[in-house]
Coordinates of all heavy atoms in Angstrom, one line a residue:
M22 N -3.9 16.5 13.8 CA -4.5 17.8 14.3 C -6.0 17.6 14.7 O -6.8 17.7 13.6 CB -4.3 19.0 13.4 CG -3.0 19.4 13.3 SD -2.7 20.9 12.3 CE -3.3 20.4 10.8
R23 N -6.3 17.3 15.7 CA -7.7 17.0 16.2 C -8.4 18.4 16.6 O -9.5 18.5 16.4 CB -7.8 16.1 17.3 CG -7.2 14.7 16.9 CD -7.5 13.7 18.0 NE -6.8 12.5 17.7 CZ -7.3 11.6 16.9 NH1 -8.3 11.8 16.3 NH2 -6.6 10.5 16.8
N24 N -7.6 19.3 16.9 CA -8.3 20.6 17.3 C -8.4 21.6 16.1 O -7.3 21.9 15.4 CB -7.3 21.2 18.3 CG -8.0 22.4 19.0 OD1 -8.8 23.0 18.4 ND2 -7.5 22.7 20.3
R25 N -9.5 21.9 15.7 CA -9.7 22.8 14.7 C -9.0 24.2 14.9 O -8.7 24.8 13.9 CB -11.2 23.0 14.3 CG -11.8 21.8 13.8 CD -13.2 22.2 13.3 NE -13.9 21.0 12.7 CZ -13.8 20.7 11.5 NH1 -13.0 21.1 10.7 NH2 -14.6 19.5 11.1
N26 N -8.9 24.6 16.1 CA -8.1 25.8 16.3 C -6.7 25.9 15.9 O -6.2 26.8 15.3 CB -8.3 26.2 17.8 CG -9.7 26.5 18.3 OD1 -10.5 27.0 17.5 ND2 -9.9 26.2 19.6
E27 N -6.2 24.7 16.0 CA -4.7 24.5 15.5 C -4.7 24.7 14.0 O -3.7 25.4 13.5 CB -4.0 23.2 15.8 CG -3.9 23.1 17.4 CD -3.0 24.1 17.9 OE1 -2.0 24.4 17.4 OE2 -3.3 24.6 19.1
R28 N -5.6 24.1 13.4 CA -5.6 24.4 11.9 C -5.7 25.9 11.5 O -5.0 26.3 10.6 CB -6.7 23.6 11.2 CG -6.7 23.7 9.7 CD -7.6 22.8 9.1 NE -7.6 23.1 7.5 CZ -8.5 22.6 6.7 NH1 -9.4 21.9 7.0 NH2 -8.4 23.0 5.5
G29 N -6.6 26.5 12.2 CA -6.8 27.9 12.0 C -5.6 28.8 12.3 O -5.3 29.8 11.8
R30 N -4.8 28.4 13.3 CA -3.8 29.0 14.0 C -2.6 29.0 13.1 O -1.9 30.1 12.9 CB -3.3 28.7 15.4 CG -4.2 29.1 16.4 CD -3.6 28.8 17.8 NE -4.8 28.8 18.7 CZ -5.0 27.9 19.6 NH1 -4.2 26.9 19.8 NH2 -6.0 28.1 20.5
W31 N -2.3 27.9 12.5 CA -1.0 27.9 11.7 C -1.0 27.1 10.4 O -0.4 27.4 9.3 CB 0.2 27.4 12.5 CG 0.0 26.0 13.0 CD1 -0.6 25.6 14.2 CD2 0.4 24.7 12.4 NE1 -0.7 24.2 14.3 CE2 0.0 23.7 13.3 CE3 1.1 24.4 11.3 CZ2 0.3 22.4 12.9 CZ3 1.4 23.1 10.9 CH2 1.0 22.2 11.7
F32 N -1.9 26.0 10.4 CA -1.8 25.2 9.1 C -2.3 25.9 7.9 O -1.7 25.9 6.8 CB -2.8 23.9 9.4 CG -2.5 22.9 8.2 CD1 -1.5 22.0 8.2 CD2 -3.5 23.0 7.1 CE1 -1.4 21.1 7.2 CE2 -3.3 22.2 6.1 CZ -2.3 21.2 6.1
D33 N -3.5 26.4 8.0 CA -4.0 27.2 6.7 C -3.1 28.2 6.3 O -2.9 28.4 5.1 CB -5.4 27.7 7.1 CG -6.5 26.7 7.3 OD1 -6.3 25.6 6.7 OD2 -7.6 27.0 7.9
A34 N -2.5 29.0 7.1 CA -1.5 30.0 6.8 C -0.3 29.5 6.1 O 0.1 29.9 5.0 CB -1.1 30.9 8.0
A35 N 0.1 28.3 6.6 CA 1.3 27.7 6.0 C 1.0 27.1 4.7 O 1.7 27.3 3.7 CB 1.9 26.5 7.0
A36 N -0.2 26.6 4.5 CA -0.7 25.9 3.2 C -0.7 27.2 2.1 O -0.3 27.0 1.1 CB -1.9 25.3 3.3
E37 N -1.3 28.2 2.5 CA -1.4 29.3 1.8 C 0.0 30.0 1.4 O 0.2 30.3 0.1 CB -2.2 30.4 2.3 CG -2.7 31.5 1.4 CD -3.7 32.5 1.8 OE1 -4.6 32.0 2.6 OE2 -3.8 33.7 1.4
N38 N 0.9 29.9 2.2 CA 2.2 30.4 2.0 C 3.1 29.5 0.9 O 3.8 30.0 0.2 CB 3.1 30.5 3.3 CG 2.7 31.5 4.1 OD1 2.1 32.6 3.6 ND2 3.1 31.5 5.3
I39 N 2.6 28.2 0.8 CA 3.3 27.3 -0.3 C 2.5 27.4 -1.5 O 2.7 26.5 -2.4 CB 3.6 26.1 0.4 CG1 2.3 25.3 0.7 CG2 4.6 26.0 1.5 CD1 2.6 23.8 1.1
G40 N 1.4 28.1 -1.6 CA 0.6 28.2 -2.7 C -0.4 27.1 -2.9 O -1.0 26.8 -4.0
L41 N -0.9 26.5 -1.8 CA -1.9 25.5 -1.6 C -3.0 25.8 -0.6 O -3.2 25.3 0.4 CB -1.4 24.1 -1.5 CG -0.2 23.5 -2.3 CD1 0.6 22.4 -1.8 CD2 -0.9 23.3 -3.8
P42 N -3.7 26.9 -1.0 CA -4.7 27.4 0.0 C -5.8 26.5 0.5 O -6.4 26.5 1.5 CB -5.2 28.6 -0.7 CG -5.1 28.4 -2.2 CD -3.8 27.6 -2.2
N43 N -6.1 25.5 -0.4 CA -7.2 24.4 -0.1 C -6.7 23.2 0.4 O -7.5 22.3 0.6 CB -8.0 24.2 -1.5 CG -8.7 25.5 -1.8 OD1 -9.1 26.2 -1.2 ND2 -8.6 25.7 -3.3
L44 N -5.4 23.1 0.8 CA -4.8 21.9 1.3 C -5.4 21.6 2.6 O -5.6 22.6 3.4 CB -3.3 22.1 1.4 CG -2.6 20.8 2.0 CD1 -2.6 19.8 1.0 CD2 -1.0 21.3 2.2
A45 N -5.8 20.4 3.0 CA -6.3 20.0 4.3 C -5.4 19.0 4.8 O -4.8 18.2 4.1 CB -7.7 19.5 4.0
P46 N -5.3 18.8 6.1 CA -4.5 17.9 6.8 C -4.8 16.5 6.3 O -4.0 15.6 6.2 CB -4.7 18.1 8.2 CG -5.1 19.6 8.4 CD -5.9 19.8 7.2
H47 N -6.1 16.2 6.1 CA -6.6 14.9 5.7 C -6.0 14.5 4.3 O -5.7 13.3 4.0 CB -8.0 14.8 5.8 CG -8.6 13.3 6.0 ND1 -8.4 12.7 7.2 CD2 -9.1 12.5 5.1 CE1 -8.9 11.5 7.0 NE2 -9.3 11.3 5.7
G48 N -6.0 15.5 3.4 CA -5.3 15.2 2.1 C -3.8 14.8 2.3 O -3.3 13.9 1.6
L49 N -3.0 15.3 3.3 CA -1.7 15.0 3.5 C -1.7 13.5 4.0 O -0.8 12.8 3.8 CB -1.1 15.9 4.6 CG -0.9 17.3 4.0 CD1 -0.3 18.2 5.3 CD2 0.0 17.3 2.9
R50 N -2.6 13.1 4.8 CA -2.7 11.7 5.3 C -2.9 10.8 4.2 O -2.3 9.8 4.1 CB -3.9 11.7 6.3 CG -4.4 10.3 6.8 CD -5.5 10.4 7.8 NE -6.1 9.2 8.1 CZ -5.7 8.6 9.3 NH1 -4.9 9.0 10.0 NH2 -6.3 7.4 9.5
H51 N -3.8 11.1 3.2 CA -4.1 10.2 2.0 C -2.7 10.1 1.2 O -2.3 9.1 0.6 CB -5.1 10.7 1.2 CG -6.5 10.3 1.7 ND1 -6.9 9.1 1.9 CD2 -7.5 11.2 2.2 CE1 -8.1 9.1 2.4 NE2 -8.5 10.4 2.7
T52 N -2.0 11.3 1.0 CA -0.8 11.3 0.4 C 0.3 10.4 1.0 O 0.9 9.7 0.3 CB -0.3 12.8 0.2 OG1 -1.3 13.6 -0.5 CG2 1.1 12.7 -0.5
A53 N 0.4 10.5 2.3 CA 1.3 9.7 3.1 C 1.0 8.3 2.8 O 2.0 7.5 2.6 CB 1.4 10.1 4.5
A54 N -0.2 7.9 2.9 CA -0.6 6.4 2.8 C -0.3 6.0 1.3 O 0.2 4.9 1.1 CB -2.1 6.3 3.1
S55 N -0.6 6.8 0.2 CA -0.4 6.4 -1.1 C 1.1 6.3 -1.3 O 1.5 5.4 -2.0 CB -1.0 7.6 -2.0 OG -2.3 7.7 -1.9
M56 N 1.9 7.2 -0.7 CA 3.4 7.0 -0.9 C 3.9 5.8 -0.3 O 4.7 5.2 -0.8 CB 3.9 8.3 -0.4 CG 3.7 9.5 -1.4 SD 4.5 11.1 -0.7 CE 6.2 10.8 -1.2
A57 N 3.3 5.5 0.9 CA 3.8 4.3 1.7 C 3.5 3.1 0.7 O 4.3 2.1 0.6 CB 3.1 4.2 3.0
I58 N 2.3 3.0 0.3 CA 1.9 1.9 -0.6 C 2.8 1.7 -1.8 O 3.2 0.6 -2.1 CB 0.4 1.9 -0.9 CG1 -0.5 1.8 0.3 CG2 -0.1 0.9 -2.0 CD1 -1.9 2.2 0.2
S59 N 3.0 2.9 -2.4 CA 3.9 2.9 -3.6 C 5.3 2.4 -3.3 O 6.0 1.9 -4.1 CB 3.9 4.3 -4.3 OG 2.6 4.6 -4.8
A60 N 5.7 2.6 -2.1 CA 7.1 2.2 -1.6 C 7.1 0.9 -1.3 O 8.2 0.3 -0.8 CB 7.5 3.1 -0.6
G61 N 5.9 0.1 -1.4 CA 6.0 -1.3 -1.0 C 5.3 -1.7 0.4 O 5.5 -2.8 0.9
A62 N 4.8 -0.8 1.1 CA 4.5 -1.1 2.4 C 3.2 -2.0 2.5 O 2.5 -2.0 1.5 CB 3.8 0.3 3.3
S63 N 3.3 -2.9 3.4 CA 2.1 -3.8 3.5 C 0.8 -3.2 4.0 O 0.8 -2.1 4.6 CB 2.5 -5.0 4.4 OG 2.5 -4.5 5.7
V64 N -0.2 -3.8 3.8 CA -1.5 -3.3 4.3 C -1.5 -3.2 5.8 O -1.9 -2.2 6.3 CB -2.7 -4.3 4.1 CG1 -4.0 -4.0 4.6 CG2 -2.9 -4.5 2.6
L65 N -0.7 -4.2 6.5 CA -0.7 -3.9 8.0 C 0.2 -2.8 8.4 O -0.2 -2.1 9.4 CB -0.2 -5.3 8.6 CG -1.1 -6.5 8.5 CD1 -0.4 -7.8 9.1 CD2 -2.5 -6.2 9.2
S66 N 1.2 -2.5 7.6 CA 2.0 -1.3 8.0 C 1.2 0.0 7.7 O 1.3 0.9 8.6 CB 3.3 -1.3 7.1 OG 4.1 -2.4 7.3
V67 N 0.5 0.1 6.7 CA -0.3 1.2 6.5 C -1.4 1.4 7.4 O -1.7 2.5 7.9 CB -0.9 1.3 5.0 CG1 -1.7 2.6 4.8 CG2 0.2 1.1 4.0
Q68 N -2.0 0.3 7.9 CA -3.0 0.3 8.9 C -2.4 0.8 10.2 O -3.0 1.8 10.8 CB -3.5 -1.1 9.2 CG -4.5 -1.2 10.4 CD -4.6 -2.6 11.2 OE1 -3.9 -3.5 10.6 NE2 -5.1 -2.6 12.2
R69 N -1.3 0.4 10.5 CA -0.6 0.9 11.8 C -0.3 2.3 11.7 O -0.5 3.1 12.6 CB 0.6 0.0 12.2 CG 0.2 -1.4 12.7 CD 1.4 -2.1 13.4 NE 2.5 -2.3 12.3 CZ 2.6 -3.3 11.7 NH1 1.7 -4.4 11.8 NH2 3.6 -3.5 10.8
M70 N 0.3 2.8 10.5 CA 0.7 4.1 10.3 C -0.6 5.1 10.4 O -0.4 6.2 10.9 CB 1.3 4.3 8.9 CG 1.7 5.6 8.4 SD 2.6 5.6 6.9 CE 1.2 6.2 5.8
L71 N -1.7 4.8 9.9 CA -2.8 5.5 9.9 C -3.7 5.4 11.2 O -4.5 6.1 11.4 CB -3.7 5.2 8.6 CG -3.0 5.6 7.2 CD1 -3.9 5.1 6.2 CD2 -2.6 7.1 7.2
G72 N -3.5 4.3 11.9 CA -4.2 4.1 13.2 C -5.6 3.5 12.9 O -6.6 3.7 13.7
H73 N -5.8 2.8 11.8 CA -7.0 2.3 11.3 C -7.2 1.1 12.5 O -6.3 0.5 12.9 CB -7.0 1.7 10.0 CG -7.2 2.8 9.0 ND1 -6.8 2.6 7.7 CD2 -7.6 4.1 9.0 CE1 -7.0 3.7 7.0 NE2 -7.5 4.7 7.8
S74 N -8.5 0.8 12.7 CA -8.9 -0.3 13.7 C -8.5 -1.6 13.2 O -8.5 -2.6 13.9 CB -10.4 -0.2 14.0 OG -11.2 -0.3 12.9
S75 N -8.5 -1.7 11.7 CA -8.4 -3.0 11.2 C -7.7 -2.8 9.8 O -7.9 -1.8 9.2 CB -9.6 -3.9 11.1 OG -10.4 -3.4 10.2
A76 N -7.1 -4.0 9.3 CA -6.6 -4.1 7.9 C -7.7 -3.8 6.9 O -7.6 -3.2 5.8 CB -5.9 -5.2 7.6
T77 N -8.9 -4.3 7.3 CA -10.1 -4.2 6.4 C -10.4 -2.7 6.1 O -10.9 -2.2 5.1 CB -11.3 -4.8 7.1 OG1 -11.0 -6.2 7.4 CG2 -12.6 -4.8 6.2
V78 N -10.4 -1.9 7.2 CA -10.7 -0.5 7.0 C -9.7 0.2 6.0 O -10.0 0.9 5.1 CB -10.5 0.2 8.4 CG1 -10.6 1.7 8.2 CG2 -11.7 -0.3 9.4
T79 N -8.4 -0.2 6.2 CA -7.4 0.3 5.2 C -7.6 -0.1 3.8 O -7.5 0.7 2.9 CB -6.0 -0.2 5.7 OG1 -5.8 0.2 7.1 CG2 -4.9 0.3 4.9
L80 N -8.1 -1.3 3.7 CA -8.3 -1.9 2.2 C -9.6 -1.3 1.7 O -9.6 -1.1 0.6 CB -8.4 -3.4 2.3 CG -7.1 -4.1 2.4 CD1 -7.3 -5.7 2.7 CD2 -6.2 -3.8 1.1
D81 N -10.5 -1.0 2.5 CA -11.7 -0.3 2.1 C -11.4 1.0 1.5 O -12.1 1.4 0.4 CB -12.8 -0.2 3.2 CG -13.5 -1.4 3.6 OD1 -13.4 -2.5 2.9 OD2 -14.1 -1.5 4.6
V82 N -10.4 1.7 2.0 CA -10.1 3.0 1.6 C -9.0 2.9 0.4 O -9.3 3.7 -0.6 CB -9.6 4.0 2.6 CG1 -9.2 5.2 2.1 CG2 -10.7 4.0 3.7
Y83 N -8.1 2.1 0.6 CA -6.9 2.2 -0.4 C -6.7 0.9 -1.2 O -5.8 0.7 -1.8 CB -5.6 2.3 0.4 CG -5.6 3.6 1.2 CD1 -6.0 3.7 2.6 CD2 -5.4 4.8 0.6 CE1 -6.0 4.9 3.2 CE2 -5.4 6.1 1.2 CZ -5.7 6.1 2.6 OH -5.7 7.3 3.3
S84 N -7.8 0.0 -1.3 CA -7.6 -1.1 -2.1 C -7.1 -1.0 -3.4 O -6.3 -1.7 -4.1 CB -8.8 -2.1 -2.1 OG -9.9 -1.3 -2.6
A85 N -7.7 0.1 -4.1 CA -7.3 0.3 -5.5 C -5.7 0.5 -5.7 O -5.1 0.2 -6.8 CB -8.1 1.5 -6.2
L86 N -5.2 1.1 -4.7 CA -3.7 1.4 -4.9 C -2.9 0.0 -4.6 O -1.8 -0.1 -5.2 CB -3.3 2.2 -3.7 CG -3.9 3.6 -3.8 CD1 -3.5 4.6 -2.6 CD2 -3.6 4.4 -5.1
F87 N -3.4 -1.0 -4.1 CA -2.6 -2.3 -3.8 C -2.8 -3.1 -5.2 O -2.2 -4.1 -5.4 CB -3.3 -3.0 -2.7 CG -2.5 -2.5 -1.4 CD1 -3.5 -1.6 -0.5 CD2 -1.5 -2.7 -0.9 CE1 -3.0 -1.1 0.6 CE2 -0.9 -2.3 0.3 CZ -1.7 -1.5 1.1
E88 N -3.9 -2.8 -6.0 CA -4.2 -3.8 -7.2 C -3.0 -3.6 -8.0 O -2.6 -4.7 -8.7 CB -5.4 -3.3 -7.9 CG -6.6 -3.6 -7.0 CD -7.9 -3.1 -7.7 OE1 -7.9 -2.5 -8.7 OE2 -8.9 -3.4 -7.0
D89 N -2.3 -2.6 -8.2 CA -1.1 -2.4 -9.1 C 0.0 -3.3 -8.7 O 0.8 -3.7 -9.6 CB -0.7 -1.0 -9.1 CG -1.6 0.0 -9.7 OD1 -2.5 -0.4 -10.4 OD2 -1.5 1.2 -9.4
D90 N 0.0 -3.7 -7.4 CA 1.1 -4.6 -7.0 C 1.0 -6.1 -7.5 O 1.8 -6.8 -7.3 CB 1.1 -4.7 -5.4 CG 1.5 -3.2 -4.8 OD1 1.9 -2.5 -5.6 OD2 1.3 -3.0 -3.8
L91 N -0.1 -6.5 -7.9 CA -0.5 -7.9 -8.3 C 0.6 -8.4 -9.4 O 1.1 -9.4 -9.4 CB -1.8 -8.1 -8.7 CG -2.8 -8.0 -7.7 CD1 -4.3 -8.3 -8.1 CD2 -2.5 -9.0 -6.5
D92 N 0.7 -7.3 -10.4 CA 1.6 -7.8 -11.6 C 3.1 -8.0 -10.9 O 3.8 -8.9 -11.4 CB 1.6 -6.8 -12.5 CG 0.2 -6.7 -13.3 OD1 -0.4 -7.7 -13.5 OD2 0.0 -5.6 -13.9
E93 N 3.4 -7.1 -10.1 CA 4.8 -7.2 -9.6 C 4.9 -8.4 -8.7 O 6.0 -9.2 -8.8 CB 5.2 -6.0 -8.6 CG 6.6 -5.9 -8.2 CD 6.8 -4.7 -7.3 OE1 6.2 -3.6 -7.6 OE2 7.7 -4.8 -6.5
V94 N 4.0 -8.8 -7.9 CA 3.9 -10.0 -7.1 C 4.1 -11.1 -8.0 O 4.8 -12.1 -7.8 CB 2.8 -10.2 -6.3 CG1 2.6 -11.6 -5.6 CG2 2.8 -9.0 -5.2
A95 N 3.3 -11.2 -9.1 CA 3.4 -12.3 -10.1 C 4.7 -12.5 -10.7 O 5.2 -13.6 -10.9 CB 2.3 -12.2 -11.2
E96 N 5.3 -11.3 -11.0 CA 6.7 -11.4 -11.6 C 7.7 -11.9 -10.7 O 8.6 -12.7 -11.0 CB 7.0 -10.0 -12.1 CG 6.3 -9.5 -13.4 CD 6.6 -8.1 -13.7 OE1 7.5 -7.5 -13.2 OE2 5.7 -7.6 -14.5
R97 N 7.5 -11.6 -9.4 CA 8.6 -12.0 -8.4 C 8.3 -13.5 -8.1 O 9.3 -14.1 -8.0 CB 8.3 -11.2 -7.1 CG 8.8 -9.9 -7.0 CD 8.6 -9.2 -5.7 NE 8.9 -7.9 -5.8 CZ 8.6 -7.0 -4.7 NH1 8.2 -7.5 -3.6 NH2 8.9 -5.7 -4.8
L98 N 7.1 -14.0 -8.1 CA 6.8 -15.4 -8.0 C 7.4 -16.2 -9.0 O 8.0 -17.2 -8.8 CB 5.5 -15.7 -7.7 CG 4.9 -15.2 -6.3 CD1 3.2 -15.4 -6.4 CD2 5.4 -16.1 -5.2
D99 N 7.2 -15.7 -10.3 CA 7.6 -16.4 -11.5 C 9.2 -16.5 -11.4 O 9.9 -17.5 -11.7 CB 7.1 -15.7 -12.7 CG 7.6 -16.6 -13.9 OD1 7.2 -17.7 -13.9 OD2 8.1 -16.0 -15.0
S100 N 9.8 -15.4 -11.1 CA 11.3 -15.3 -11.0 C 11.8 -16.2 -9.9 O 12.8 -17.0 -10.0 CB 11.7 -13.8 -10.6 OG 13.1 -13.9 -10.5
M101 N 11.1 -16.3 -8.8 CA 11.6 -17.2 -7.6 C 11.5 -18.6 -8.2 O 12.3 -19.5 -7.8 CB 10.8 -17.0 -6.4 CG 11.1 -15.6 -5.7 SD 10.1 -15.3 -4.3 CE 10.4 -16.6 -3.2
R102 N 10.4 -18.9 -8.8 CA 10.2 -20.4 -9.3 C 11.2 -20.7 -10.2 O 11.8 -21.9 -10.1 CB 8.7 -20.3 -9.9 CG 8.5 -21.7 -10.4 CD 7.1 -21.6 -11.2 NE 7.3 -20.8 -12.3 CZ 6.8 -20.9 -13.5 NH1 6.0 -21.9 -13.7 NH2 7.1 -20.0 -14.5
T103 N 11.6 -19.9 -11.1 CA 12.7 -20.0 -12.0 C 14.0 -20.4 -11.4 O 14.8 -21.2 -11.7 CB 12.8 -19.0 -13.1 OG1 11.5 -18.8 -13.8 CG2 13.9 -19.3 -14.0
E104 N 14.3 -19.5 -10.3 CA 15.6 -19.5 -9.6 C 15.8 -20.7 -8.8 O 16.8 -21.2 -8.7 CB 15.8 -18.2 -8.8 CG 15.9 -16.9 -9.5 CD 15.8 -15.7 -8.8 OE1 15.9 -15.8 -7.4 OE2 15.8 -14.5 -9.2
T105 N 14.7 -21.2 -8.1 CA 14.7 -22.4 -7.4 C 14.5 -23.6 -8.0 O 14.8 -24.7 -7.4 CB 13.6 -22.3 -6.3 OG1 12.4 -22.3 -6.9 CG2 13.8 -21.0 -5.4
G106 N 14.2 -23.7 -9.4 CA 14.0 -24.8 -10.1 C 12.7 -25.5 -9.9 O 12.5 -26.7 -10.2
L107 N 11.8 -24.9 -9.2 CA 10.5 -25.5 -9.0 C 9.6 -25.9 -10.2 O 9.1 -26.8 -10.3 CB 9.6 -24.6 -8.1 CG 10.1 -24.5 -6.6 CD1 9.2 -23.7 -5.8 CD2 10.0 -26.0 -5.9
R108 N 9.9 -24.9 -11.2 CA 9.3 -25.3 -12.5 C 9.7 -26.6 -13.1 O 8.8 -27.5 -13.3 CB 9.6 -24.2 -13.5 CG 9.0 -24.4 -14.8 CD 9.3 -23.3 -15.8 NE 8.6 -23.4 -17.1 CZ 8.9 -22.8 -18.1 NH1 9.7 -21.9 -18.0 NH2 8.1 -22.9 -19.1
D109 N 11.0 -26.9 -13.0 CA 11.3 -28.2 -13.6 C 11.0 -29.4 -12.7 O 10.6 -30.4 -13.1 CB 12.9 -28.3 -13.7 CG 13.3 -27.3 -14.7 OD1 12.7 -26.8 -15.7 OD2 14.5 -26.6 -14.5
F110 N 10.9 -29.1 -11.3 CA 10.5 -30.1 -10.3 C 9.1 -30.5 -10.5 O 8.8 -31.7 -10.7 CB 10.7 -29.6 -8.9 CG 10.1 -30.5 -8.0 CD1 10.7 -31.5 -7.4 CD2 8.9 -30.2 -7.3 CE1 10.3 -32.5 -6.6 CE2 8.3 -31.2 -6.3 CZ 9.0 -32.2 -5.9
Y111 N 8.2 -29.5 -10.8 CA 6.7 -29.9 -11.1 C 6.6 -30.4 -12.4 O 5.6 -31.3 -12.5 CB 5.9 -28.7 -10.7 CG 5.8 -28.4 -9.2 CD1 6.3 -27.2 -8.6 CD2 5.1 -29.3 -8.3 CE1 6.2 -27.0 -7.3 CE2 5.0 -29.1 -7.1 CZ 5.5 -27.9 -6.4 OH 5.4 -27.7 -5.2
A112 N 7.3 -29.9 -13.4 CA 7.1 -30.5 -14.7 C 7.5 -32.0 -14.7 O 6.8 -32.7 -15.3 CB 7.9 -29.6 -15.7
N113 N 8.6 -32.2 -14.1 CA 9.0 -33.6 -14.2 C 8.1 -34.6 -13.4 O 7.9 -35.8 -13.5 CB 10.5 -33.7 -13.5 CG 11.5 -33.1 -14.6 OD1 11.2 -33.1 -15.7 ND2 12.6 -32.7 -13.9
R114 N 7.6 -34.1 -12.2 CA 6.7 -34.7 -11.2 C 5.4 -35.1 -12.1 O 4.9 -36.3 -11.9 CB 6.4 -33.9 -10.0 CG 5.6 -34.7 -9.0 CD 6.2 -34.2 -7.8 NE 5.3 -34.9 -6.6 CZ 5.6 -36.0 -5.9 NH1 6.7 -36.4 -6.2 NH2 4.9 -36.4 -5.1
K115 N 4.9 -34.2 -12.8 CA 3.7 -34.4 -13.6 C 4.0 -35.6 -14.6 O 3.1 -36.5 -14.9 CB 3.4 -33.0 -14.3 CG 2.0 -33.2 -15.0 CD 1.5 -31.8 -15.5 CE 0.1 -31.9 -15.9 NZ -0.4 -30.6 -16.5
I116 N 5.1 -35.5 -15.3 CA 5.4 -36.6 -16.3 C 5.5 -37.9 -15.6 O 5.0 -39.0 -16.1 CB 6.7 -36.3 -17.0 CG1 6.5 -35.0 -18.0 CG2 7.2 -37.5 -17.8 CD1 7.8 -34.5 -18.4
E117 N 6.2 -38.0 -14.4 CA 6.3 -39.3 -13.6 C 4.9 -39.8 -13.3 O 4.5 -41.0 -13.4 CB 7.1 -39.0 -12.4 CG 8.6 -38.7 -12.7 CD 9.3 -38.4 -11.5 OE1 8.8 -38.5 -10.3 OE2 10.5 -38.0 -11.6
T118 N 4.1 -38.9 -12.9 CA 2.6 -39.3 -12.4 C 1.9 -39.8 -13.6 O 1.1 -40.7 -13.4 CB 2.0 -38.1 -11.7 OG1 2.8 -37.5 -10.8 CG2 0.6 -38.6 -11.2
L119 N 2.1 -39.2 -14.6 CA 1.2 -39.7 -15.9 C 1.9 -40.9 -16.5 O 1.2 -41.7 -17.1 CB 1.2 -38.6 -17.0 CG 0.5 -37.3 -16.7 CD1 0.8 -36.2 -17.7 CD2 -1.0 -37.5 -16.4
G120 N 3.1 -41.1 -16.3 CA 3.8 -42.3 -16.9 C 3.7 -43.5 -16.3 O 3.0 -44.3 -16.1

């Protein structure tokens, strides 16, 4: 809603009707971005969704929300390594190199 008149015409009244008189459209934008990140959206997806000029802009605003994903990424990588046998491959390779 780029036109302030639209907000005054219907948005504020709708927000008040649901018991959130101080709700602003921009707050909904942040909520949508936060929910997308929690659902696993990539930085580029969130950037496109919000219309940011670059992923850097998105990360400047929402980087703290992506930090929680690092533990999950580490767990997935560890799981993939175990499933593919890469752990054993590299362990054996190190022994061969040293021996």
Side-chain angles (χ1 to χ4, degrees):
M22 286 187 297
R23 297 188 186 279
N24 187 339
R25 290 193 182 272
N26 290 333
E27 291 303 314
R28 181 171 176 190
R30 280 188 203 139
W31 63 270
F32 186 87
D33 289 342
E37 193 165 329
N38 283 340
I39 62 168
L41 298 169
N43 296 319
L44 182 66
H47 204 75
L49 293 176
R50 176 181 169 89
H51 284 296
T52 300
S55 300
M56 292 176 75
I58 292 166
S59 293
S63 70
V64 175
L65 293 176
S66 296
V67 176
Q68 173 207 346
R69 287 192 299 266
M70 182 178 95
L71 298 176
H73 287 161
S74 59
S75 70
T77 302
V78 173
T79 305
L80 283 171
D81 285 346
V82 178
Y83 297 102
S84 62
L86 297 178
F87 284 99
E88 290 175 2
D89 294 340
D90 294 345
L91 291 178
D92 290 336
E93 187 176 332
V94 169
E96 289 173 13
R97 286 185 190 170
L98 287 172
D99 191 49
S100 177
M101 289 175 62
R102 182 186 59 145
T103 302
E104 290 171 10
T105 60
L107 286 176
R108 179 180 185 189
D109 296 332
F110 173 79
Y111 286 113
N113 292 336
R114 185 139 175 108
K115 190 173 185 180
I116 291 169
E117 292 171 8
T118 306
L119 295 174

